[in-house]
Amino acid sequence: KFGGGGRGLSPDLTNRAAPPSGRVKGWCPGALAPMMSGDGLLVRLRLSGGVMSLELAERIAQLAQRFGNGALNLSGRGNLQLRGVSDAAYPELIAALSDLNLLDSNEKTEAVRNVLISPTTGLDQTAFQDVRPIGAALEAEITANPRFWQLPPKFSFIIEDGGAFPLDSVAADIRFVAVNTSEFGLQLGNTSGFFGIWKTRDVVPVAVRVVGLFLDSSLSVPLRHMQDLIARTSTAHICSFLGCELHATVEPNPVQKQALFGQNMDFYGLGVAFGFLRAAQLEALVSAARNLAARELRLTPWRALLLVRQKADRSADASADHDMLAGLVHAGFITDPNDPRLASAACVGQPDCASASVAAPKDALVLAGLTPELVHVSGCAKGCAHPKPAAFTFVGRNGLYDLVENGKADGVPVLTGLLPGDLTRALGARIAKAELERSLAL
């Protein structure tokens, strides 16, 4: 077995002749509970720690080509999705994933094993702690403790190492942030402040206590997220329950996210435009990694992959590095931190998504670089590619676009009924209008 995500117990694959939930739409899919999209079943792999050995990455690329349409997605929570899997191919794919130890023991465990850790942990010299063991311990608790299985499917956990690449742009219900070499601050929902400062050894037990409070509070009125609990009770009530005090959060001192891309001390950061990856690209990356004697690949929530180098190879030949990066750029990866595609977001669009009526990625490429602010092109009002507000969001509707400014895809548009060929002109006009308003306000 290649490892990388196994949960220890093998799932029951008997009588699994068709996807158990494959015809249901609109939730976060998994491997055991795929989602039907416009191009077939969407199968999401939750890889522990976001880590893939080179052998595992190669096998996943092969499975994407054999059982899907060869398309892969990097999700906004650092997961990897296989697209275009048919109902007929699904049972064989599941059997292959089981052989690779990539399946949870059941759908309930899979649905709630939403643990994201700092992707650069163990590589970032500015970080306080290597949080990989804590992430593994929390996943083990989620797998073994049926209490966790009662959580809503989108309930999520984040463990940050306190380094240069914080995960503050990614939402979480329960978040632990390293504040020194032996302690973590606890954040709940989007509340500012830490609900106590806890020893490293207490992270998993505290998570268990918070989950218990959340589930007990959900008995009378169902809750979806920690913020719902906070709104119903108070921060004081939660602090009393945990026996802690509310502390001010430690302001992160991050480097620019662009520093992630290109060559770093222990890794290469490789952007993937809109998170869309072909199996052939992943195979090319594995080949390049082997040529450099790299040890693993890591997924990130920033639509990027990290190629992790061997410690002994920090002084690798500069010309070899340059040639490798040039080859990966040719294969479609992004190494330039100023590439305009890094300031754009787009879903798969029509025809790959049944909810979309526009070719979102194609239109997003045309708009890339027109403004340094985030431009989001969404195939529909769900806004899957970027659930948060963006400076400019173009939303597909009946083959045309609406434009929402400083809002989410389901916001009130300032322009409606735009043809795809009108987007560049419309965005340029709105940028000019905003600049004029700013100049008049000075």
Side-chain angles (χ1 to χ4, degrees):
K1 297 190 178 185
F2 292 91
R7 309 275 66 77
L9 297 175
S10 297
D12 182 8
L13 300 180
T14 58
N15 300 319
R16 191 59 71 80
S21 306
R23 292 299 177 186
V24 182
K25 300 178 181 179
W27 85 98
C28 288
L32 298 176
M35 183 176 72
M36 180 58 69
S37 190
D39 57 349
L41 292 172
L42 181 67
V43 177
R44 176 176 293 175
L45 305 180
R46 291 172 169 85
L47 299 170
S48 295
V51 175
M52 292 187 290
S53 68
L54 301 187
E55 293 81 3
L56 179 60
E58 184 175 53
R59 286 292 291 125
I60 290 174
Q62 293 169 353
L63 295 180
Q65 291 175 316
R66 180 180 176 187
F67 299 114
N69 59 13
L72 299 156
N73 294 156
L74 304 180
S75 81
R77 298 199 66 85
N79 297 311
L80 188 64
Q81 300 176 160
L82 282 65
R83 301 195 64 92
V85 178
S86 68
D87 286 346
Y90 175 77
E92 289 187 74
L93 171 61
I94 285 297
L97 293 175
S98 180
D99 288 343
L100 293 174
N101 203 26
L102 291 179
L103 298 182
D104 289 85
S105 58
N106 58 70
E107 293 179 31
K108 291 182 178 180
T109 304
E110 177 185 68
V112 298
R113 189 171 54 81
N114 300 316
V115 179
L116 175 64
I117 67 173
S118 298
T120 56
T121 195
L123 307 173
D124 181 359
Q125 303 302 312
T126 70
F128 290 120
Q129 301 191 42
D130 183 339
V131 298
R132 286 175 292 181
I134 305 170
L138 180 56
E139 287 201 6
E141 181 68 29
I142 293 172
T143 299
N145 188 343
R147 187 83 160 126
F148 278 81
W149 307 353
Q150 302 172 38
L151 289 170
K154 293 188 179 182
F155 197 95
S156 61
F157 304 82
I158 285 180
I159 303 176
E160 299 194 41
D161 61 11
F165 298 97
L167 293 165
D168 50 312
S169 62
V170 185
D173 292 283
I174 298 177
R175 182 191 309 262
F176 289 94
V177 182
V179 295
N180 54 49
T181 58
S182 62
E183 293 178 314
F184 285 80
L186 168 64
Q187 287 185 289
L188 301 176
N190 57 23
T191 300
S192 60
F194 287 137
F195 288 80
I197 304 297
W198 306 90
K199 294 294 185 181
T200 299
R201 64 177 179 271
D202 295 326
V203 167
V204 174
V206 168
V208 172
R209 293 185 64 194
V210 174
V211 166
L213 174 63
F214 177 86
L215 292 174
D216 290 342
S217 302
S218 299
L219 293 176
S220 56
V221 178
L223 305 174
R224 296 182 60 195
H225 292 290
M226 278 302 304
Q227 200 59 40
D228 300 330
L229 173 61
I230 294 170
R232 282 190 58 202
T233 56
S234 65
T235 57
H237 172 76
I238 296 174
C239 283
S240 176
F241 175 83
L242 294 175
C244 67
E245 296 180 355
L246 197 65
H247 294 255
T249 56
V250 177
E251 288 297 322
N253 185 28
V255 299
Q256 293 294 315
K257 282 289 194 304
Q258 283 81 356
L260 186 79
F261 300 96
Q263 181 180 347
N264 292 273
M265 181 65 73
D266 289 325
F267 65 89
Y268 301 93
L270 304 165
V272 179
F274 314 131
F276 305 151
L277 186 66
R278 300 297 303 180
Q281 290 177 280
L282 184 55
E283 289 179 324
L285 179 56
V286 169
S287 177
R290 284 179 172 146
N291 289 336
L292 289 170
R295 55 191 172 95
E296 67 187 24
L297 300 177
R298 294 190 188 181
L299 305 171
T300 80
W302 306 304
R303 266 75 183 200
L305 291 164
L306 307 183
L307 191 163
V308 181
R309 309 172 68 175
Q310 298 282 6
K311 294 288 185 181
D313 289 342
R314 290 183 178 180
S315 59
D317 188 289
S319 62
D321 286 352
H322 180 271
D323 291 344
M324 188 278 293
L325 289 174
L328 291 176
V329 169
H330 181 73
F333 292 99
I334 299 171
T335 60
D336 180 1
N338 298 311
D339 191 296
R341 290 171 293 177
L342 297 176
S344 304
C347 65
V348 295
Q350 194 275 334
D352 291 342
C353 177
S355 298
S357 64
V358 291
K362 175 183 176 182
D363 295 328
L365 284 174
V366 174
L367 298 172
L370 294 183
T371 173
E373 297 185 275
L374 179 62
V375 177
H376 175 201
V377 182
S378 180
C380 71
K382 291 188 294 184
C384 298
H386 186 75
K388 294 185 176 183
F392 302 96
T393 300
F394 289 92
V395 185
R397 181 171 57 85
N398 298 325
L400 303 175
Y401 281 99
D402 297 340
L403 173 59
V404 178
E405 290 186 358
N406 299 312
K408 298 189 292 186
D410 61 356
V412 178
V414 295
L415 295 174
T416 61
L418 298 169
L419 291 167
D422 293 336
L423 299 188
T424 300
R425 177 188 56 79
L427 180 57
R430 298 305 296 184
I431 293 172
K433 180 178 182 296
E435 291 176 346
L436 177 60
E437 291 174 347
R438 280 195 292 266
S439 66
L440 293 176
L442 296 177

